[in-house]
Amino acid sequence: MALAKEIMGSRLIFERSSSLASSPFQSRLSIKKKTQRTQYSINPFDLSPMKAAISGGVVAAISEDLVKTLRFKTLGRNQENEEVEKAVQFKVRAVVTVRNKNKEDFKETLVKHLDAFTDKIGRNVVLELISIQVDPKTNEPKKSKPAVLKDWSKKSNSKAEKVHYAAEFTVDSAFGLPGAITVTNKHQKEFFLENITIEGFACGPVHFPCNSWVQSQNDHPSKRIFFTNQPYLPSETPSGLRTLREQELENLRGNGKGERKLSDRIYDFDVYNDIGNPDISTELARPVFGGREFPYPRRCRTGRRSTDTDLMSERRVEKPLPMYVPRDEQFEESKKNTFAACRLKAVLHNLVPSLKASILAEDFANFGEIDSLYKEGLLLKLGIQDDMFKKFPLPKIVTTLQKSSEGLLRYDTPKIVSKDKYAWLRDDEFARQAIAGINPVNIERVTTYPPVSNLDREIYGSHLDSALTEDHIIGHLDGLSVQQALETNRLFMVDYHDTYLPFLDRINALDGRKAYATRTILFLTRLGTLKPVAIELSLPKSKRVVTPPIDATSHWTWQLAKAHVGSNDAGVHQLVNHWLRTHACLEPFILSAHRQLSALHPIYKLLDPHMRYTLEINAVARQTLVSADGVIESCFTAGQYGLEISAAAYKNQWRFDMEGLPADLIRRGMAVPDPTQPHGLKLLVEDYPYANDGLLLWSAIQTWVRTYVERYYPNPNLVKTDKELQAWYSESINVGHADHRDADWWPELSTVDDLVSIITTIVWLASAQHAALNFGQYPYGGYVPNRPPLMRQLIPDESEPEFASFVEDPQKYFFSSLPSLLQTTKFMAVVDTLSTHSPDEEYIGERQQPSIWTGDAEIVDAFYGFSAEIGRIEQEIEKRNKDPSRRNRCGAGVLPYELMAPSSEPGVTCRGVPNSVSI
């Protein structure tokens, strides 16, 4: 057995079972007491298996049984027969999983067949295995001999979703443990490499989670590098992987020059200089967002040439051409198909005017006409029958779906009117949506009455003074004085005064746009529900206050005032809370993570599922949603000034240290610190569904993150000296959020607590916060009277000539103030798309390849514990939605609050928390 001892080393460096806990409840993790910070703690250990493998000695290369088969003898010359044992080479097997496309176009099929042919004559896919050890003779990583994927040509016609190929590597007995693998694609066509598993080493199967497109060598000559699933901090990187680790990061950073190709994998920063298109029209020119005048987060650089008209603006890429994002950030096939299918309805704003141009300014005549969009479909409503429809040269997919004139352009009934058709008209529902609707993050406690503006008095003067008085609300406070209501925390407010006032002159000068800067005062009743008691409507030179109605005329005035509040709310929700705070502000952290954190880094592995698809959906937004004359400009009150409002909010309101849920609730006065409460704070509105459910998810995320971080950073010094981690955070601030780089509110990154807080906030924003703000858009906003995205008329007073027509036909005036038919259907189509879950959605508590995404079995077990906790939270949310004492989520006609319920089926469900900002 001397040979076995030589190959195996003096002893096996480590042994561990590859089996995992059979269920989340049988985790090997000990449960800490409630008073401790972490729920799932990992049993103490000194070194992870792979770290131990670096520490010295020859590591186990192959199993002992295999060693016996490789043993051989040689005879010494002119000596007695004796056994001379030598080091040997041996083979290990690789199983390579490639994911097929479900559908290929003619060119792709042709190239695939060509690749199958050339594969037979040597133009193969070539792999090379790399050890974690360095060869002392060459001072280079130990490498296997190149291996070719077998049977590519035989399996080229396979229709299976995943195709498994084999390869055999020849390695030396002193090879050590594999740490990386290189892949060279000598075919012409790219392929999606899902994972590689190596079998034959004594440590058991070695996994390489790849999930990446491998480009042809013709397009990208350098070899692709993939690492095992074993995490390493930079300082603990095995000697054989150090150069490769840095080389891969350099490949991902690029050199900041040139225009990016769609096949590139380069992550870099740029300003938002591609929103407008001045070469087409001066009316489509837009400022650059990002810089002193309009501070903004940075986006992914594309490197396109500047426009002819404005050298500071980048040429746009219009649909259907794709916008550049790194290849692995692009939608996968099922996601792409779902997104394309949803956008069929969004084609209305191009299709319908060609069918019936007269609808461009057509108003709804009554509520029945709005209902007909759900009952009959838009084409039938417009008088466009099947025979007329067939005359138009429409895409085949459109005509296929058009089974009847009630089909293609008919919308699902939004949930807000599914349980109670007239619920949206009630004041209690109007107020309830401030804490349980699609935008539950603007409500704040009133600390001073009347409210005080934070705008510059030197600019606006006395016009900033509120018109609200105690007389406006005293009769609606259940017998309390205003001071008593303030002292008992019963007065709340949704305040858009400072957000809109600086822009009103320009907005109201736009054709068909009219807006106020609104403040809504809400009173907390003894039942725990809210009711609106006053609405202040401000213009730059005047203000008025509308209070709950007392007669027919004041009823319609009140409904119009609530509609203007809804319009303000829709704009801030979309432009600030949704787009800015969850989409745009996360992009710098994602770009920097790819540039500065190796795939080997444990924090990269933690963040990975929370970055999926975000760069792609943000690129689509720049192309069609926030662009000049895009959906947001067309459908929201602010029009072309929408992104300027967003930039002002970024400059004056956004703070990363206040983006976590507890900090945000305390900042808005909706909670106060209280260490005796389960989450360390007390809600001042006890039945606040967004906050109630959000705190459950926040706590679970925080516990999981702390468990993970403490595993790899047992002392603060490791956080300070982690060069990749510090570079990621520094670049995210100084480059990605360059316009706030000097702010004193950025959290430090020096301790484990700092890192836990930063990562928890990012994961929260990408998952639960985005879900709460996104997936209810159609269920609540698809019925436009509930929260119109724009208003076209102000509310007339008795001195104005419009007042007579308002009194004569208030319903007609109401509908002429709402969006037109075309604006409504365009908006509905977009929010329907945005509210849709795709079939490949990954929800919180889920991961691709859950048992092998990391090589740390203890962390895999911890993740299963986190997943089990997410399941318990879902059950608790279901229980709350059936509790009649929770009147803000349970009652006659009241929608249950499910936007924080973790799981969902595909489609528009008004529930589900994906891991990432993916739509």
Side-chain angles (χ1 to χ4, degrees), residues 743-763:
D744 60 4
W745 41 254
W746 283 105
E748 292 185 1
L749 181 52
S750 300
T751 68
V752 168
D753 285 348
D754 295 340
L755 181 54
V756 169
S757 176
I758 291 166
I759 299 297
T760 300
T761 299
I762 290 172
V763 174

Side-chain angles (χ1 to χ4, degrees), residues 534-552:
I535 296 174
E536 181 182 48
L537 304 170
S538 296
L539 294 171
K541 303 297 184 183
S542 65
K543 297 180 187 292
R544 66 186 291 187
V545 175
V546 181
T547 54
I550 55 174
D551 58 22

Side-chain angles (χ1 to χ4, degrees), residues 275-286 316 628-630 633:
I275 301 301
N277 200 337
D279 286 349
I280 291 181
S281 167
T282 56
E283 293 182 356
L284 295 179
R286 296 293 181 270
R316 285 184 52 76
D629 203 30
E633 288 196 3

Side-chain angles (χ1 to χ4, degrees), residues 752-793:
V752 168
D753 285 348
D754 295 340
L755 181 54
V756 169
S757 176
I758 291 166
I759 299 297
T760 300
T761 299
I762 290 172
V763 174
W764 160 259
L765 291 171
S767 57
Q769 180 78 332
H770 177 259
L773 295 168
N774 182 73
F775 292 103
Q777 290 193 77
Y778 185 81
Y780 280 95
Y783 189 75
V784 166
N786 180 52
R787 42 184 288 114
L790 66 83
M791 294 293 285
R792 294 185 291 159
Q793 294 192 95

Side-chain angles (χ1 to χ4, degrees), residues 549-762:
I550 55 174
D551 58 22
T553 302
S554 61
H555 165 81
W556 281 103
T557 301
W558 181 245
Q559 292 300 331
L560 284 166
K562 290 196 295 182
H564 275 282
V565 171
S567 176
N568 271 195
D569 188 72
V572 170
H573 161 257
Q574 197 67 267
L575 291 161
V576 179
N577 298 329
H578 179 212
W579 162 249
L580 173 67
R581 293 173 62 186
T582 66
H583 282 258
C585 286
L586 278 180
E587 186 158 344
F589 292 99
I590 294 171
L591 289 170
S592 187
H594 287 285
R595 289 167 52 84
Q596 304 297 341
L597 296 176
S598 166
L600 287 167
H601 201 290
I603 298 302
Y604 179 88
K605 292 181 183 296
L606 176 61
L607 288 174
D608 185 37
H610 305 290
M611 303 189 290
R612 186 180 188 224
Y613 291 153
T614 302
L615 297 186
E616 169 80 347
I617 196 62
N618 285 3
V620 171
R622 297 203 319 275
Q623 198 171 30
T624 62
L625 295 181
V626 299
S627 58
D629 203 30
V631 171
I632 288 181
E633 288 196 3
S634 301
C635 296
F636 288 82
T637 293
Q640 69 189 64
Y641 306 110
L643 268 194
E644 292 188 33
I645 289 177
S646 181
Y650 179 69
K651 177 182 179 180
N652 301 318
Q653 300 171 23
W654 185 82
R655 289 179 50 160
F656 180 76
D657 64 327
M658 294 292 167
E659 288 298 281
L661 179 59
D664 178 57
L665 291 171
I666 292 170
R667 172 176 63 170
R668 292 189 281 120
M670 299 303 294
V672 293
D674 186 345
T676 67
Q677 297 295 314
H679 306 287
L681 50 78
K682 177 183 178 182
L683 293 175
L684 299 184
V685 177
E686 292 184 10
D687 184 15
Y688 184 179
Y690 160 78
N692 297 139
D693 296 356
L695 286 169
L696 293 178
L697 288 175
W698 170 271
S699 181
I701 293 168
Q702 185 181 51
T703 300
W704 157 238
V705 171
R706 181 171 293 282
T707 301
Y708 191 98
V709 168
E710 288 180 346
R711 169 73 159 175
Y712 300 103
Y713 297 93
N715 66 74
N717 189 54
L718 287 174
V719 174
K720 294 179 183 178
T721 58
D722 186 334
K723 63 178 184 179
E724 287 184 7
L725 184 71
Q726 294 295 334
W728 163 69
Y729 190 54
S730 175
E731 185 177 67
S732 297
I733 295 171
N734 293 309
V735 181
H737 286 282
D739 301 325
H740 280 311
R741 63 185 304 171
D742 297 323
D744 60 4
W745 41 254
W746 283 105
E748 292 185 1
L749 181 52
S750 300
T751 68
V752 168
D753 285 348
D754 295 340
L755 181 54
V756 169
S757 176
I758 291 166
I759 299 297
T760 300
T761 299
I762 290 172

Side-chain angles (χ1 to χ4, degrees), residues 435-437 440 689-690 693 772 780 877 881 889 895-900:
I435 54 175
Y690 160 78
D693 296 356
Y780 280 95
I877 290 173
N881 283 327
R889 62 195 304 161
L895 289 184
Y897 188 75
E898 297 181 307
L899 288 168
M900 295 280 194

